[in-house]
Amino acid sequence: MNKLLEKKNPAKHIKSFGFLALLLLLPVIFTAVDFTYGITISCFVAIYVIAVSGIDIVFGYCGQISMGHAAFYAVGAYGSALLSSKLNIPIIISMFIAPVIAAILGALLAYPASKLVFHFLSLATIAFGEITYQLILQSPGGITGNAVGLATKKVNLFGFAFNTSFRFYYLALAFVLLLLAAKTNLVSSRVGRAFVAIRENTHAAEGMGVNARKYKVIAFATSAFFTAVAGSMYAHFVGYISPDTFTNKQSVLFITMLLFGGTASKPGPIIGAIAVLLLNEALRSMENMQMLVYGFLLLIVILLLPGGIFGMIKDLFYKYTHRGGKENAKS
Amino acid sequence: MTMFMQVFVSGLVIGCVYGLIALGYSLIYKASGMMSFVQGDLLTVGAFLGYTFYGLWKIPVAISFVMVFILMVLLGFGIERGIINRLVKKKTLPIYIVLATIAVSYILQNGAMYIWGSNMLTFPRLFSANSIKIFGVGVQPEALFCIVVSLIAMVILHIFMKYTKYGTAMRAASMDPMAARSCGINVSVSTGLTWGIAAAMASLAGMLIGPVYGVFTTLGATIGRKGFSSAVMGGYGNMYGAIVGGIILGLMETFTSGYISSAYKDLFAYIILLLFLFVKPTGIFNERAIME
Amino acid sequence: MLKVNNVTLSFGGLVANNDISMEVPAGKIIGLIGPNGAGKTTFFNIVSGVYKPDKGTIVFNGTEIQGKRPYQINKLGIARTYQVINLFKKMTVIDNVVVGMHSRLNQGYFSALFKTKKAREEEKMAYEKALELLDFVGLKNRAYQLADSLSYGEQRILEICRGLASNPQLLLLDEPAAGMNATEKVELDQLMQKILKKDIGILIIEHDMKLMMGVADYLYVLNYGKLLAHGVTADIQANPEVIAAYLGGDE
């Protein structure tokens, strides 16, 4: 429903305030129950939420597939690590510059790729992902540390070092809130409507005055920015990056999370990231089963749960609230 | 001369394998307008099955090959019937079907790892001779076998598609499903069969490359991804283009790594893929445009 | 307002539109009729920028528009509907209309990202205007449903409403009555008269001759990609060539 015409709902404000309070207290709660590992997982959730929300913009809203987003994750991670270590740029700034570079790369890729239909767009993005991976594996002058990888510094803001999971959590939370707000603003605007129109019917969108190519490029660039921010967070949180993290498996993991959680929504990427990461933890003891499970997970979601978990919840909620009503509306 | 010959032969070997994989892509695209990401991992499964039958159970090589073919046709058929066709019927967006094939490829690859383990296995030699001489240069007989059998398989497929009743039915089904259905052709079985044949082609590639490269779980994944480069280069959907594209890619890769540097060998296929997609998406054989 | 001069387009060897000229003035309904496959929709696609003609010019308010992209032509003031319904199915009815306003809205990327005051005001204005438009076409009570859930006839009306949203001077309607029942056709007729009062010119393709003869001020008849005849409806109805084409065709 249209938010603009909705009356302000005080109950909603209280709910979101409570939610924020819970998020702020989460590390304290984890510490109190002596489960500090929960804070680390929460940090990873934050990182993935941002990356997957980025893919949601280009895939969920604009309908353009990318199977090479690990490349933008890599540009964010290596870009920020190298900018801060080689050029001595403060990390908090390099964490912004690297995603801008990723956005430019995304636009450069999307401009010629926007002509391609989905099948071939997926090939182009895979190729882009592989090329980026090979270039960090065998970089010119070994600047990325090649297979060995790079050690990265922690974020330090005005003398305060985000060097523990507890501290980093608050930085990550700030990033998540900021970027999700930006995403929400964007998708509910003229730009976001153009994205969805392109997804629903590119020809009609053009006929209604939407320059499809321009908006595909914008969606790709924005998406690349988000995923690269996540990459830079990863780099400065973990303290070490190597090519293994940036293979095409990472790209598929992002998409799995998105589909699992549900596309074209705010909660979808959050639910997807949490669910898949928790599953990951559950499967930690049998590591070589992990990818097998992802495969089945992805297949089951596509076959049986096309709206993801959030889509399913929405449907159930709809059925519940419209129970007995005459309206037999489509989902 | 010796080096040239060796590089040339190994280029042809991997080129034929790319060609077989790309051939599968083109078949599937022609038959159902789909893109399948399973081909590479079907190659892996084929290689493992061949290894099991021939290497472990010591079944004669010809029978082993036939058994693998039959299993793989069933597997390909099953993937199409059980998953792809279901999604098509539900009018799922095509991109989700592509993602479903990726899911299947994950299941195959990691299922193979679960069954056969993550170590590299040695596919036993097919021939007793260590090398045979061509133009005075020693070449591994398995390499020659790979090239010859691939080419024969391609010719047989060509004859099958062009001159047999089944081939005609399959081509008709892919060109105009409605018209084919009204002629009494079972379109869905024919589409399933196409996936089956593509799977058999992939497994053949796996058993041919196995003795040369060894058998491991990610054997097919890389080849499968690079195979896309061959298919696009030749013109996606064009069977002859797929073979030509495969051989060109194989030769280019081995010659660059043989004479220039092996550092960027793996980069090559993807740069070609991007270049063709952006500059000449219809490929060498000018297959119908793949753009919107 | 719209002046088409000698437009020709061929696909391969097939000439889909051959040397067509026509004029559409403001505030009038111009009909385009002809048997199936006569090239009517192709002609619409040329005017709206989907295809570029091989020859000929299309002048809209003094600007040559042939070869421009659809979104550019929409911005200049030509909106259209489609023969096959082309709504954004998973968007709400009102969102469909607001997408139609795309070229009339100004907020850019960054003002959207930061939801500036100006952007918020524009959004509010856009949704209010969209409601007005929906009210105008009689779909206001459907505003927050998915476009998908409307009846066939309502979807056709929504397409027109979405077209009107860009504030066009010329509206191209491609078989708007297809699939409509008798009541809906009467409503469509009334709606078109209301649109004319806004001084918008309408170029319409329609197979329903009764509707067409009733609403059109002037008719153009296409046959095999060529202009067969044009004139006021009474003249066209009496034209032996037109009658022959229709009887000979498979309509």
Side-chain angles (χ1 to χ4, degrees):
Chain A
M1 296 293 135
N2 177 22
K3 290 190 183 77
L4 287 160
L5 300 171
E6 232 170 47
K7 293 268 177 295
K8 291 259 185 265
N9 184 351
K12 209 172 171 182
H13 277 281
I14 294 167
K15 227 162 72 182
S16 43
F17 183 77
F19 197 57
L20 186 66
L22 178 72
L23 284 176
L24 285 172
L25 285 175
L26 199 64
V28 182
I29 298 169
F30 276 136
T31 312
V33 298
D34 206 21
F35 182 61
T36 46
Y37 186 56
I39 305 172
T40 308
I41 295 177
S42 304
C43 291
F44 277 114
V45 167
I47 291 169
Y48 275 108
V49 163
I50 290 172
V52 176
S53 296
I55 296 189
D56 196 25
I57 291 171
V58 76
F59 180 61
Y61 287 91
C62 198
Q64 308 299 306
I65 186 72
S66 169
M67 311 247 292
H69 257 55
F72 300 123
Y73 200 53
V75 171
Y78 280 94
S80 184
L82 291 174
L83 284 170
S84 57
S85 66
K86 305 268 174 196
L87 300 179
N88 275 323
I89 295 172
I91 290 176
I92 201 77
I93 295 171
S94 71
M95 282 175 85
F96 177 74
I97 299 176
V100 169
I101 295 170
I104 293 168
L105 279 174
L108 289 177
L109 173 73
Y111 187 74
S114 64
K115 291 188 303 186
L116 300 168
V117 294
F118 60 93
H119 289 133
F120 300 99
L121 181 61
S122 58
L123 286 189
T125 50
I126 285 177
F128 176 70
E130 287 290 338
I131 290 169
T132 309
Y133 171 72
Q134 294 292 339
L135 284 178
I136 53 174
L137 191 61
Q138 304 194 21
S139 55
I143 189 167
T144 62
N146 292 355
V148 178
L150 274 184
T152 56
K153 286 182 285 189
K154 301 283 179 179
V155 188
N156 193 315
L157 213 55
F158 309 115
F160 184 83
F162 291 91
N163 52 5
T164 62
S165 288
F166 192 97
R167 290 173 167 195
F168 187 85
Y169 173 86
Y170 289 99
L171 185 72
L173 183 63
F175 274 62
V176 168
L177 293 176
L178 212 63
L179 285 166
L180 284 191
K183 182 192 168 197
T184 310
N185 285 347
L186 193 66
V187 297
S188 64
S189 72
R190 173 175 178 255
V191 179
R193 281 190 301 272
F195 290 167
V196 180
I198 289 168
R199 179 193 77 195
E200 290 293 303
N201 193 324
T202 308
H203 285 288
E206 283 251 329
M208 297 308 124
V210 175
N211 182 350
R213 183 173 231 188
K214 177 180 151 191
Y215 283 95
K216 283 181 186 177
V217 170
I218 289 177
F220 243 99
T222 310
S223 166
F225 183 89
F226 272 62
T227 307
V229 168
S232 71
M233 287 164 70
Y234 174 86
H236 298 294
F237 173 56
V238 176
Y240 164 76
I241 45 176
S242 72
D244 288 348
T245 313
F246 307 98
T247 61
N248 67 324
K249 276 188 184 136
Q250 187 69 257
S251 303
V252 177
L253 180 64
F254 290 150
I255 291 172
T256 309
M257 285 175 170
L258 177 60
L259 291 183
F260 198 59
T263 56
S265 67
K266 187 157 69 169
I270 302 172
I271 296 171
I274 293 174
V276 174
L277 282 181
L278 287 183
L279 193 81
N280 223 349
E281 291 305 316
L283 293 172
R284 191 162 283 280
S285 54
M286 28 184 185
E287 205 162 335
N288 53 3
M289 294 282 283
Q290 244 176 36
M291 298 311 284
L292 189 63
V293 174
Y294 287 162
F296 277 111
L297 204 64
L298 193 56
L299 194 60
I300 290 167
V301 169
I302 293 169
L303 275 172
L304 306 174
L305 214 71
I309 296 177
F310 183 63
M312 189 182 67
I313 294 171
K314 243 182 1 189
D315 280 354
L316 287 177
F317 183 73
Y318 194 86
K319 269 179 201 147
Y320 179 74
T321 51
H322 287 70
R323 186 174 52 173
K326 262 190 178 175
E327 268 181 318
N328 217 348
K330 291 173 188 175
S331 58
Chain B
M1 184 64 197
T2 311
M3 174 164 169
F4 177 85
M5 213 38 215
Q6 273 162 350
V7 172
F8 184 70
V9 169
S10 57
L12 278 183
V13 168
I14 189 69
C16 283
V17 169
Y18 290 148
L20 284 172
I21 290 291
L23 201 54
Y25 291 143
S26 289
L27 267 178
I28 288 171
Y29 191 66
K30 266 283 157 81
S32 51
M34 298 291 163
M35 183 172 276
S36 165
F37 279 85
V38 193
Q39 287 298 96
D41 299 289
L42 288 170
L43 181 152
T44 311
V45 173
F48 273 118
L49 285 177
Y51 162 83
T52 309
F53 295 155
Y54 174 65
L56 285 183
W57 299 347
K58 312 283 179 220
I59 298 168
V61 73
I63 301 173
S64 296
F65 270 49
V66 171
M67 282 167 65
V68 173
F69 284 158
I70 294 171
L71 285 175
M72 295 303 285
V73 169
L74 288 176
L75 181 58
F77 190 82
I79 291 172
E80 202 280 333
R81 293 282 84 194
I83 297 163
I84 309 301
N85 194 262
R86 251 167 224 247
L87 291 170
V88 172
K89 270 197 201 140
K90 284 206 301 195
K91 301 216 187 310
T92 313
L93 285 177
I95 195 62
Y96 283 89
I97 300 179
V98 172
L99 290 172
T101 66
I102 292 177
V104 174
S105 103
Y106 268 49
I107 294 169
L108 290 180
Q109 189 188 125
N110 295 285
M113 183 158 86
Y114 188 68
I115 298 169
W116 285 286
S118 47
N119 294 329
M120 190 201 271
L121 304 171
T122 318
F123 202 101
R125 302 288 309 260
L126 300 173
F127 303 97
S128 46
N130 265 328
S131 77
I132 43 176
K133 288 216 183 288
I134 307 175
F135 303 119
V137 180
V139 174
Q140 194 186 345
E142 279 82 0
L144 280 183
F145 183 70
C146 174
I147 297 166
V148 172
V149 173
S150 308
L151 295 176
I152 291 173
M154 289 164 187
V155 173
I156 291 175
L157 187 69
H158 171 75
I159 293 169
F160 177 81
M161 292 301 278
K162 200 122 202 192
Y163 301 107
T164 67
K165 205 177 85 191
Y166 297 105
T168 315
M170 277 165 61
R171 281 189 298 143
S174 68
M175 270 187 260
D176 190 342
M178 288 284 268
R181 209 168 276 131
S182 63
C183 292
I185 293 167
N186 190 336
V187 174
S188 37
V189 169
S190 129
T191 309
L193 205 60
T194 311
W195 283 67
I197 292 176
M201 295 296 241
S203 70
L204 177 67
M207 289 184 292
L208 292 174
I209 198 82
V212 186
Y213 278 35
V215 184
F216 48 97
T217 45
T218 53
L219 171 67
T222 319
I223 295 175
R225 274 199 300 281
K226 288 184 181 171
F228 281 116
S229 182
S230 320
V232 170
M233 199 196 313
Y236 209 95
N238 187 311
M239 287 175 50
Y240 312 103
I243 298 160
V244 173
I247 290 173
I248 292 176
L249 179 63
L251 289 175
M252 284 207 286
E253 255 189 20
T254 41
F255 273 97
T256 12
S257 60
Y259 285 90
I260 302 166
S261 153
S262 66
Y264 293 105
K265 175 177 150 256
D266 288 327
L267 213 54
F268 217 72
Y270 302 112
I271 290 174
I272 290 176
L273 178 53
L274 266 192
L275 278 180
F276 267 93
L277 282 173
F278 290 167
V279 181
K280 186 140 178 36
T282 53
I284 300 170
F285 283 73
N286 220 20
E287 189 67 20
R288 73 180 176 145
I290 57 175
M291 290 182 286
E292 245 170 13
Chain C
M1 179 170 53
L2 179 77
K3 214 167 167 312
V4 179
N5 307 307
N6 314 96
V7 158
T8 299
L9 173 69
S10 41
F11 296 111
L14 190 80
V15 185
N17 275 188
N18 194 350
D19 201 27
I20 298 177
S21 300
M22 72 166 63
E23 245 179 275
V24 183
K28 290 264 189 288
I29 298 185
I30 307 300
L32 180 60
I33 60 171
N36 273 343
K40 302 182 297 286
T41 297
T42 306
F43 181 74
F44 263 33
N45 281 337
I46 293 173
V47 175
S48 64
V50 178
Y51 301 136
K52 185 177 191 260
D54 301 333
K55 264 186 269 172
T57 57
I58 303 168
V59 183
F60 182 68
N61 288 336
T63 321
E64 285 198 14
I65 59 166
Q66 73 275 6
K68 282 198 191 296
R69 306 277 304 138
Y71 70 90
Q72 295 168 319
I73 289 177
N74 176 278
K75 191 165 187 181
L76 287 171
I78 302 180
R80 70 170 294 185
T81 69
Y82 297 86
Q83 190 181 359
V84 182
I85 290 175
N86 259 342
L87 289 171
F88 308 120
K89 290 182 183 166
K90 293 274 182 280
M91 287 176 110
T92 57
V93 168
I94 197 168
D95 275 346
N96 267 274
V97 179
V98 183
V99 170
M101 288 178 205
H102 188 87
S103 49
R104 301 288 167 250
L105 300 178
N106 297 315
Q107 49 173 308
Y109 180 74
F110 287 102
S111 54
L113 205 60
F114 299 114
K115 214 162 202 162
T116 56
K117 190 160 175 262
K118 233 170 133 187
R120 282 200 305 270
E121 280 166 3
E122 192 186 63
E123 284 286 289
K124 191 159 174 267
M125 181 276 293
Y127 277 91
E128 276 164 8
K129 195 185 158 208
L131 269 184
E132 269 169 44
L133 271 172
L134 284 170
D135 197 28
F136 179 74
V137 301
L139 284 177
K140 194 180 176 185
N141 58 337
R142 298 264 188 262
Y144 301 107
Q145 292 182 6
L146 288 185
D148 219 5
S149 67
L150 298 187
S151 76
Y152 206 72
E154 287 172 328
Q155 294 196 9
R156 292 247 175 238
I157 297 293
L158 177 55
E159 280 226 342
I160 296 175
C161 185
R162 185 178 67 175
L164 286 173
S166 65
N167 220 353
Q169 290 166 276
L170 173 65
L171 189 59
L172 309 176
L173 303 179
D174 198 343
E175 295 195 27
M180 281 189 173
N181 60 33
T183 333
E184 287 172 329
K185 278 181 187 170
V186 173
E187 285 166 9
L188 174 67
D189 191 353
Q190 289 164 349
L191 176 60
M192 282 198 278
Q193 299 305 329
K194 269 163 70 185
I195 294 172
L196 285 188
K197 291 213 182 82
K198 294 186 164 196
D199 212 30
I200 294 170
I202 296 179
L203 178 61
I204 175 172
I205 295 175
E206 189 46 69
H207 275 296
D208 187 326
M209 279 305 140
K210 203 172 131 233
L211 181 86
M212 202 62 149
M213 294 301 173
V215 298
D217 296 299
Y218 199 84
L219 285 177
Y220 287 84
V221 187
L222 278 189
N223 195 23
Y224 296 114
K226 272 184 137 161
L227 210 52
L228 186 68
H230 58 98
V232 290
T233 46
D235 291 350
I236 293 296
Q237 268 173 313
N239 187 321
E241 270 187 308
V242 175
I243 296 165
Y246 265 85
L247 292 179
D250 40 41
E251 264 297 294

